[in-house]
Amino acid sequence: MSEHLLSATGLHLSFGAIWALDGVDATLWPGEILAVVGESGSGKTTLLHVLSGRSAPDAGLVAYRDTEGVAHNVHAMPAPQLRALHRSDWGFVHQNPRDALRMEVSAGGNVGERLMAQGARHYGVIRESAIDWLRQVEISPSRIDDMPHTFSGGMLQRLQIARTLATHPRLVFMDEPTGGLDVSVQARLLDLIRTLVARLGIAVVLVTHDIAVARLLADRILVMRHGRVVEGGLTDQVLDDPQHPYTQLLVSSVLQA
Amino acid sequence: MSGYNFAYLDEQTKRMIRRAILKAVAIPGHQVPFGGREMPLPYGWGTGGIQVTAAILGPSDVLKVIDQGADDTTNAVSIRRFFARTAGIETTTHTADASVIQTRHRIPETPLRADQIIVYQVPLPEPLAKLEQSRAETRQMHALAEYGLMHVKLYEDIARYGHISISYDYPVMVNGRYLMSPSPIPAFDTPKMHRMAALQLFGAGREKRIYAIPPHTDVKPLDFDDHPFRLTRAPQACGLCGARDSYLDEVVMDDRGGRLFVCSDTDYCAGRQSMRQDEDAAA
Amino acid sequence: MRPAHPEVLRTEALGKSFTLHMQGGVTIPVLRDLGLTLRAGECVVLSGPSGTGKSTLIRSLYGNYRADTGRIMIRHGGDWVDLAHADPRVVLAVRRDTLGYVSQFLRVVPRVSTLEIVAEALTSRGTPPDEAKLRARSMLLRLNLVPHLHDLPPATFSGGEQQRVNLARGFIPNHPILLLDEPTSSLDAVNRDAVVELVAEAKAAGTAILAIVHDMTTRDAIADRLFHLTPLREAA
């Protein structure tokens, strides 16, 4: 049996008197998609930031197991190592693609940046890879030299995904990746994420307030409230047979299409 | 000149600048902050270069100052006179005769020797500044040698123009470690920095940064394997001395579009012209 | 009954109730002390009036509902796994390799074509995409889904068409155990016959099938035996 890719134990983080994380444990297996759901203020985004090393917890441990099977304490890692990890093995997909993309750099340059950051020094190869990734996210390669500001919201999000996946990360953190998009655009993006992630065997921690998104993408789900995980397990089991009062409320509040 | 310390700056300041220079030499290509002083000329006129020059000059030094390769432009003339008066040192326009050469935007065509120092005036020391606004972030990038972003800029150039279009201030890697702005010298001059025998010092007055390339240090222009750095030069020969290996300025001669290409390095050009005359006279 | 065929699924003292926190925490017991055995190559049909927990049982066996008490032993590869207490990862592995489930309703990602939905049941188990699509196409044709529907997402299909997509997806991976929750409820006679044929073939291949079927003709055609569920309140 393989080992956890990421494991968090006893995470605590308070903002003043408010516990954003109040004793959270979480694990992730290689290739697994874990959804973290909850209302805004539940601590799910904070959890994402702590898991990815972007913010430090007051207490608790986040361990990442690298390709050699060596476990690293994410929050004790030297900054260069953590940054290198974020550039290579890890990816982060923001809700607003403008937070991640370089808006003054062409689509191709955006996709190629992580490759160049990893030392790619052959223009032709970088360009081929950019074209390949644009195709994979269903952006016409003819748009490769266009500036992101000429792209629609859905295209920008797909460009961000191409940029993130170009270095074949093992673990991608996603913060409401379909938020702020039209429903039809969302469906396309969901399918894209699902297909790419399955094909590339990427593990994902997905934060979303949208239970339908969690159901379609995630193997496993954590339900958060007031900085605690109130329920966790197989996605369809938690959503179809919720045990905790809060989960029952959450599930029953979803509009059925 | 009485009433001033030798070479204008007081000795404490010079020591401070020398310490910065020593550190800069020890970490080739790394920008060292220093307590830049107000100088009696405006920023952009070479205040950084002047402070570096002032800190390294000794009474026996011979100073040459060029601006865009020329010894006779206002900026060059006034800086040369400034040190002639405040330090009482000898000045020259001949590259070979100078022990210290302060320059704006050129490297002399005549190869520099181990007993010479070249001081560059630098307007913008940070090569990543145009790509990343945050100073904290660019410092971090230097600290971790994360220079992928600079290649993004080169990538964008090739995507847009089919080649790397940077014609001056071409970003270089120094000693395989630090990304450095060579100051706004033409890309034509960039290879001269590579393993140069002379010590190269850079002073940025407004930004208060000093950096350096010790003698015989590797200086490599950034490029791609399939788009290597290439020397570009106007195809003409110098209209005055006939040189085909020098960097040329284009001079408009009249109102009818007449133009002349001449060496930007006036000393080099003059030297070649007088050699020609000698040859003509001998023949 | 073919005793030569080994057991592949066994529940031991299985119990399941629902606590409805939204309705003042009332608890509704549905299954209690249930013991069911399923052998390779047999088809067992659940019988009993509606409300006796047939669907709940099927969903509990699939791990879609969480069993409160007892064990759900499933022969997974060479091992026995207690699905009621297994790690989610193990449950997913059992679902991928051992346990198939055809629910009443089709639940899929929007925009994905019917062919891809069915083929994915194979590609997720390592079948090359081209082969998976070929087999998916022939399975859809067996269930009388005309070719021009194959490339469309099933969202706009009729109930019967969606059910056949679901059936195709459920039968194509040849799982050793297959759970069918009213697989023919929206089908016409021709398609019911197609399902009966699929069940017969699966049984011949050693698949154990547990089904809920209300239609008597189909039930009689596929069932080797019935497993009767009685309402708990009466039993209690």
Side-chain angles (χ1 to χ4, degrees):
Chain A
M1 191 169 267
S2 57
E3 307 250 26
H4 284 138
L5 185 65
L6 195 72
S7 75
T9 42
L11 295 181
H12 282 87
L13 179 60
S14 67
F15 298 123
I18 296 159
W19 285 104
L21 297 177
D22 189 6
V24 173
D25 297 339
T27 53
L28 188 71
W29 298 96
E32 183 186 41
I33 306 184
L34 173 69
V36 183
V37 302
E39 295 165 341
S40 44
S42 60
K44 57 187 194 299
T45 299
T46 305
L47 176 62
L48 194 70
H49 284 226
V50 169
L51 289 179
S52 61
R54 293 161 73 94
S55 13
D58 295 340
L61 181 81
V62 179
Y64 167 70
R65 197 170 293 276
D66 68 18
T67 40
E68 265 87 58
V70 180
H72 301 269
N73 177 349
V74 168
H75 294 282
M77 229 183 243
Q81 214 183 325
L82 186 61
R83 280 173 72 110
L85 204 55
H86 269 286
R87 275 204 316 271
S88 52
D89 281 11
W90 290 8
F92 203 105
V93 173
H94 298 257
Q95 174 173 7
N96 184 350
R98 289 173 185 81
D99 292 345
L101 295 169
R102 293 191 188 276
M103 297 303 282
E104 71 289 352
V105 167
S106 70
N110 266 290
V111 177
E113 181 174 350
R114 273 169 70 104
L115 296 169
M116 291 182 249
Q118 284 199 345
R121 292 293 178 263
H122 192 286
Y123 175 83
V125 169
I126 294 163
R127 188 128 177 120
E128 275 309 307
S129 174
I131 287 171
D132 177 46
W133 276 104
L134 289 179
R135 271 209 196 97
Q136 294 203 45
V137 299
E138 300 169 18
I139 295 175
S140 163
S142 67
R143 303 294 303 268
I144 188 168
D145 294 329
D146 292 354
M147 290 293 150
H149 68 81
T150 64
F151 286 16
S152 68
M155 280 173 79
L156 281 180
Q157 196 55 292
R158 280 180 276 135
L159 182 61
Q160 184 190 189
I161 287 167
R163 173 186 163 90
T164 307
L165 298 188
T167 51
H168 294 277
R170 306 167 70 209
L171 168 58
V172 175
F173 301 94
M174 296 189 181
D175 187 7
E176 304 272 11
T178 59
L181 296 176
D182 293 343
V183 177
S184 62
V185 179
Q186 261 194 32
R188 185 176 182 188
L189 190 68
L190 281 175
D191 176 36
L192 190 81
I193 292 174
R194 194 186 60 104
T195 313
L196 287 176
V197 161
R199 194 172 69 229
L200 302 169
I202 299 168
V204 177
V205 182
L206 164 80
V207 158
T208 178
H209 69 279
D210 189 337
I211 285 176
V213 168
R215 184 189 279 280
L216 290 176
L217 291 182
D219 300 314
R220 214 152 47 81
I221 195 169
L222 298 179
V223 181
M224 284 193 73
R225 191 190 191 201
H226 299 330
R228 290 167 187 258
V229 174
V230 296
E231 187 166 354
L234 270 181
T235 303
D236 64 283
Q237 193 180 77
V238 170
L239 297 181
D240 291 338
D241 186 15
Q243 309 288 311
H244 191 275
Y246 179 72
T247 316
Q248 291 190 359
L249 176 72
L250 205 62
V251 170
S252 67
S253 312
V254 176
L255 293 174
Q256 297 289 331
Chain B
M1 194 169 154
S2 64
Y4 282 100
N5 190 35
F6 177 80
Y8 185 75
L9 290 176
D10 63 274
E11 291 304 313
Q12 287 300 326
T13 299
K14 286 196 217 167
R15 268 181 218 146
M16 174 269 293
I17 293 172
R18 285 173 200 146
R19 279 195 295 272
I21 291 172
L22 283 174
K23 182 169 176 181
V25 169
I27 315 171
H30 171 62
Q31 299 165 49
V32 180
F34 76 107
R37 298 293 191 253
E38 292 296 325
M39 298 302 287
L41 74 170
Y43 290 131
W45 287 68
T47 53
I50 287 179
Q51 290 180 79
V52 171
T53 300
I56 61 170
L57 277 183
S60 60
D61 271 313
V62 179
L63 179 68
K64 169 184 164 81
V65 182
I66 52 172
D67 178 2
Q68 307 267 21
D71 295 271
D72 54 1
T73 53
T74 314
N75 195 224
V77 169
S78 48
I79 292 173
R80 203 160 55 232
R81 276 174 51 192
F82 173 79
F83 282 115
R85 290 172 70 178
T86 59
I89 52 156
E90 196 185 325
T91 62
T92 181
T93 59
H94 297 305
T95 302
D97 296 343
S99 61
V100 175
I101 300 164
Q102 181 171 332
T103 175
R104 174 175 175 268
H105 300 191
R106 274 310 309 276
I107 297 174
E109 305 291 358
T110 310
L112 301 184
R113 302 181 311 262
D115 61 345
Q116 294 178 303
I117 297 174
I118 181 166
V119 178
Y120 298 79
Q121 298 171 203
V122 181
L124 295 167
E126 179 48 70
L128 296 162
K130 272 180 233 154
L131 303 163
E132 174 59 62
Q133 273 79 37
S134 159
R135 259 296 177 74
E137 184 62 23
T138 56
R139 269 206 296 275
Q140 183 92 268
M141 289 164 137
H142 282 296
L144 306 176
E146 287 177 3
Y147 296 133
L149 188 56
M150 199 73 232
H151 268 94
V152 172
K153 154 78 178 134
L154 302 186
Y155 168 93
E156 292 287 286
D157 256 27
I158 301 171
R160 207 167 304 159
Y161 309 111
H163 60 96
I164 298 171
S165 71
I166 306 171
S167 55
Y168 65 93
D169 204 356
Y170 195 103
V172 293
M173 285 299 290
V174 177
N175 199 27
R177 174 58 182 82
Y178 281 97
L179 178 70
M180 191 195 87
S181 154
S183 85
I185 59 168
F188 176 85
D189 281 345
T190 312
K192 294 177 186 160
M193 294 183 142
H194 181 56
R195 300 192 180 168
M196 187 191 277
L199 171 64
Q200 305 176 71
L201 301 175
F202 300 78
R206 190 190 295 112
E207 306 281 332
K208 298 180 171 54
R209 291 287 186 279
I210 286 170
Y211 50 100
I213 304 173
H216 308 292
T217 302
D218 278 1
V219 178
K220 297 259 172 67
L222 252 59
D223 59 7
F224 287 105
D225 299 344
D226 50 342
H227 284 265
F229 175 84
R230 256 191 220 110
L231 272 190
T232 48
R233 177 186 178 276
Q236 289 81 0
C238 171
L240 298 177
C241 75
R244 293 194 165 272
D245 59 353
S246 65
Y247 189 70
L248 300 177
D249 282 339
E250 186 180 358
V251 185
V252 176
M253 301 301 288
D254 50 40
D255 293 342
R256 298 183 301 280
R259 57 194 58 196
L260 182 69
F261 286 89
V262 295
C263 290
S264 122
D265 184 337
T266 51
D267 173 55
Y268 181 73
C269 196
R272 280 180 54 90
Q273 287 178 58
S274 70
M275 241 166 60
R276 257 191 177 181
Q277 280 161 10
D278 292 351
E279 281 165 16
D280 290 350
Chain C
M1 289 287 291
R2 277 163 284 188
H5 289 130
E7 278 184 17
V8 291
L9 184 151
R10 184 175 75 242
T11 68
E12 296 167 4
L14 181 65
K16 174 66 189 166
S17 61
F18 293 96
T19 304
L20 306 179
H21 294 284
M22 309 269 299
Q23 273 125 49
V26 59
T27 295
I28 302 168
V30 180
L31 305 173
R32 187 182 299 153
D33 201 19
L34 187 134
L36 166 80
T37 306
L38 199 59
R39 292 176 176 278
E42 73 168 340
C43 175
V44 175
V45 172
L46 298 175
S47 69
S50 66
T52 48
K54 297 190 292 291
S55 221
T56 297
L57 173 58
I58 292 253
R59 283 168 167 249
S60 300
L61 294 181
Y62 191 61
N64 181 229
Y65 285 172
R66 193 179 310 196
D68 301 332
T69 56
R71 304 204 294 170
I72 300 169
M73 303 307 293
I74 298 225
R75 194 166 179 82
H76 173 55
D79 303 321
W80 283 93
V81 172
D82 178 6
L83 213 62
H85 299 95
D87 185 272
R89 244 169 33 114
V90 175
V91 177
L92 289 175
V94 168
R95 286 179 181 180
R96 189 186 62 228
D97 298 331
T98 303
L99 189 60
Y101 170 48
V102 177
S103 64
Q104 281 170 276
F105 306 106
L106 182 66
R107 201 171 228 158
V108 289
V109 179
R111 214 182 71 107
V112 182
S113 79
T114 297
L115 190 69
E116 282 176 78
I117 288 168
V118 177
E120 201 194 338
L122 290 174
T123 51
S124 68
R125 307 174 74 210
T127 310
D130 288 345
E131 187 195 331
K133 281 193 180 165
L134 216 62
R135 285 173 57 188
R137 206 172 277 285
S138 73
M139 178 60 88
L140 286 166
L141 290 173
R142 275 196 74 176
L143 287 158
N144 305 307
L145 271 167
V146 289
H148 77 261
L149 291 179
H150 297 188
D151 297 322
L152 298 176
T156 55
F157 289 7
S158 72
E161 285 163 345
Q162 291 198 1
Q163 197 157 47
R164 279 178 277 156
V165 176
N166 229 3
L167 281 161
R169 188 164 65 155
F171 273 96
I172 202 168
N174 298 322
H175 283 119
I177 306 169
L178 193 53
L179 309 170
L180 305 175
D181 189 351
E182 298 199 44
T184 55
S185 59
S186 310
L187 300 187
D188 57 22
V190 174
N191 285 308
R192 278 204 297 269
D193 290 346
V195 174
V196 169
E197 209 175 280
L198 282 174
V199 169
E201 278 175 25
K203 275 162 51 175
T207 302
I209 296 172
L210 183 68
I212 303 171
V213 187
H214 289 301
D215 160 54
M216 289 301 186
T217 322
T218 311
R219 193 178 90 177
D220 294 344
I222 65 172
D224 293 304
R225 63 186 170 96
L226 302 181
F227 185 90
H228 196 69
L229 284 165
T230 45
L232 268 194
R233 272 168 247 261
E234 284 176 8

